[in-house]
Amino acid sequence: MELPEVTFVDDFYFWFNTETKKEYYATPLYFYKASFDLDYDNKLREVYYKESELTDSGLKHPASLYFPFHEKFGLLLLRFLNADLSNYEIANKTFFYAYGFEILRDLDKKYKFELKQNYGSNEEYLKATTKIFEDLQENLIDLQQELIKGVTYIYNLDNNTALDKYTYSERFAVYLIKRLGKLYSYYKNDFIMRDSYSRKYQDFDNDSEYELLETLQSKKQVLSMSDTHKSNDLSSICYAILEELSKTPNYPIKKCQNCGMYFIPKAKTDEIYCEYPKENSKPCRDLGAFQSYTERLKNNKAMGEYRRTYQQKFMQVRKDKTNTKLAKDFETWKKKAKEKINDMKKGKLTENEVYKWLIHSK
Ligand SMILES: [Zn+2]
């Protein structure tokens, strides 16, 4: 298959640079969007919903394969794992706005749709893409669950000690061979175009023969090759990314211990909190110290007993609605229990003391 030299209209292309940890993609999103503004000065692209996105290190024009979008290696997969698929609006906001809807064209053999190059208005675009999303919503949720299952195994996110000593790529291989989930079936709709020196002509246009020889000798990365994938099937795209990620050592997918989002740590591979920007609070990493304190409270024996007792008493009151004494006793108990717990948080009472009080208060 030939790689289009300048423009592309219909398909989604992607490739990687695992040394610089970059992921490149070219999407025809540009062509069928009713409104799509590129702000070159601020390196922003403004897409539908007026959501702005800062690309990793600059804006590239999407209409040419030589100038694709690029972002952190693995980000498409992470975004999909974290996407909220409960309705079109939020799914678009958390995922599709960046990649377009071509990537769903081959997701389900039974469901075929065409995308126009121009919808004329935001309303028309919204109507058409909402239908696509809603028709495929179940498939998408299923795909997300399957990918989460695979990622959990490959990156041992459940901290299974028996899996601990194996590498990501070893676990990836076994997960597929043993067909532990549906991931093994997701490789089919991916057309891979092999990279070769024959295609590097344009990259070294300005270098003379000997300059180029010198460059090759001094800088090994010039030799790096990257196959280009063409795919309109989100499952195959995620598969290819996951396969490439699993071959990359010290570059793990983690699950944030605060918000539960999937992320790849910037520096330390044992980082447990994500750095995603949050609307109404600081990123989880900045909340780390505070969070581990509330985390500790969650595992606190007295807190567990408090929650259990509270629920029991609550149910008793609900079942026996005419019993006003029971309701009053419950209110009194609630007040006292809260005082005890506050004292524990302040360090005035120990966990054990509060636990004992709760047992006797039943
Ligand atoms: Zn987080």
Side-chain angles (χ1 to χ4, degrees):
M1 193 195 313
E2 278 291 302
L3 192 65
E5 293 261 310
V6 186
T7 59
F8 58 95
V9 182
D10 292 330
D11 304 295
F12 190 83
Y13 293 84
F14 61 103
W15 60 101
F16 316 100
N17 186 334
T18 53
E19 285 155 32
T20 58
K21 303 284 191 289
K22 289 238 183 292
E23 184 168 278
Y24 295 80
Y25 67 95
T27 161
L29 174 75
Y30 173 74
F31 288 97
Y32 63 79
K33 284 205 55 56
S35 65
F36 192 114
D37 299 319
L38 298 169
D39 175 354
Y40 289 95
D41 295 336
N42 297 310
K43 293 176 178 169
L44 285 171
R45 62 176 174 147
E46 193 108 324
V47 292
Y48 185 70
Y49 270 110
K50 298 289 170 211
E51 284 291 316
S52 296
E53 184 204 28
L54 195 61
T55 59
D56 246 11
S57 59
L59 177 77
K60 303 287 175 120
H61 200 281
S64 155
L65 268 190
Y66 295 118
F67 304 102
F69 287 119
H70 57 107
E71 46 187 30
K72 181 178 168 145
F73 175 35
L75 196 56
L76 187 153
L77 175 66
L78 293 175
R79 279 203 232 246
F80 185 62
L81 296 177
N82 294 328
D84 184 340
L85 301 170
S86 52
N87 64 57
Y88 172 84
E89 191 168 357
I90 189 77
N92 203 18
K93 226 173 173 170
T94 51
F95 184 71
F96 290 103
Y97 78 95
Y99 309 105
F101 287 86
E102 260 74 16
I103 55 175
L104 300 184
R105 249 174 39 199
D106 296 331
L107 182 67
D108 183 349
K109 275 203 174 79
K110 287 168 276 164
Y111 184 71
K112 288 281 159 222
F113 64 87
E114 286 302 319
L115 285 158
K116 287 189 207 168
Q117 286 191 24
N118 197 327
Y119 282 94
S121 71
N122 275 346
E123 288 66 38
E124 282 301 307
Y125 170 77
L126 185 82
K127 222 173 100 185
T129 49
T130 301
K131 180 164 179 9
I132 295 167
F133 173 78
E134 286 175 355
D135 289 345
L136 288 170
Q137 189 175 17
E138 244 173 72
N139 296 36
L140 287 165
I141 292 170
D142 182 53
L143 174 62
Q144 190 187 46
Q145 290 311 307
E146 283 297 327
L147 288 168
I148 287 173
K149 233 162 77 183
V151 163
T152 304
Y153 185 89
I154 294 159
Y155 293 95
N156 196 18
L157 299 179
D158 284 343
N159 296 313
N160 178 350
T161 45
L163 286 175
D164 226 10
K165 64 174 178 168
Y166 305 105
T167 64
Y168 319 141
S169 58
E170 285 158 0
R171 293 186 212 126
F172 179 80
V174 170
Y175 193 80
L176 296 179
I177 295 168
K178 300 304 292 178
R179 301 193 166 182
L180 297 180
K182 282 195 228 161
L183 185 64
Y184 77 92
S185 64
Y186 293 160
Y187 67 96
K188 287 168 188 149
N189 293 319
D190 186 5
F191 305 95
I192 300 168
M193 286 155 275
R194 216 167 59 84
D195 198 3
S196 86
Y197 289 125
S198 343
R199 293 224 320 264
K200 306 258 178 221
Y201 177 74
Q202 295 228 351
D203 299 349
F204 300 101
D205 222 7
N206 300 321
D207 297 20
S208 74
E209 171 192 346
Y210 280 93
E211 273 169 3
L212 191 52
L213 283 166
E214 277 300 312
T215 316
L216 288 179
Q217 199 167 57
S218 60
K219 279 193 200 167
K220 281 202 173 107
Q221 67 263 34
V222 185
L223 291 167
S224 75
M225 294 278 177
S226 168
D227 296 338
T228 304
H229 300 253
K230 171 185 153 177
S231 178
N232 298 314
D233 177 349
L234 181 59
S235 72
S236 298
I237 297 168
C238 290
Y239 177 100
I241 297 171
L242 189 51
E243 180 172 45
E244 200 66 40
L245 281 173
S246 69
K247 284 191 277 186
T248 312
N250 301 319
Y251 197 68
I253 295 179
K254 309 280 256 184
K255 190 173 181 181
C256 175
Q257 290 197 9
N258 181 36
C259 71
M261 284 173 87
Y262 296 89
F263 72 104
I264 294 173
K266 258 192 194 147
K268 298 191 315 194
T269 55
D270 59 349
E271 180 61 60
I272 55 171
Y273 301 112
C274 78
E275 281 180 74
Y276 293 120
K278 294 273 192 284
E279 259 176 54
N280 298 314
S281 83
K282 287 180 177 176
C284 299
R285 225 186 83 173
D286 299 342
L287 293 171
F290 163 77
Q291 213 49 54
S292 49
Y293 170 73
T294 44
E295 205 60 36
R296 257 182 282 136
L297 270 186
K298 248 191 227 164
N299 299 324
N300 183 301
K301 184 166 87 168
M303 286 302 287
E305 193 52 43
Y306 168 72
R307 276 192 297 270
R308 265 192 302 278
T309 315
Y310 183 97
Q311 275 167 32
Q312 279 168 7
K313 288 183 181 290
F314 181 78
M315 288 311 289
Q316 282 165 2
V317 172
R318 269 189 57 175
K319 272 186 200 155
D320 195 358
K321 277 178 190 154
T322 50
N323 191 338
T324 48
K325 189 184 174 296
L326 203 63
K328 244 186 201 166
D329 286 351
F330 179 50
E331 288 307 313
T332 318
W333 178 87
K334 261 201 298 198
K335 247 186 219 159
K336 272 191 189 159
K338 270 192 189 140
E339 275 171 27
K340 298 279 177 194
I341 280 161
N342 281 335
D343 283 349
M344 178 182 74
K345 285 183 182 171
K346 286 177 196 155
K348 284 184 191 167
L349 287 174
T350 67
E351 188 182 328
N352 242 335
E353 284 166 336
V354 178
Y355 179 75
K356 275 186 192 155
W357 180 87
L358 283 162
I359 294 288
H360 288 294
S361 74
K362 278 189 183 176

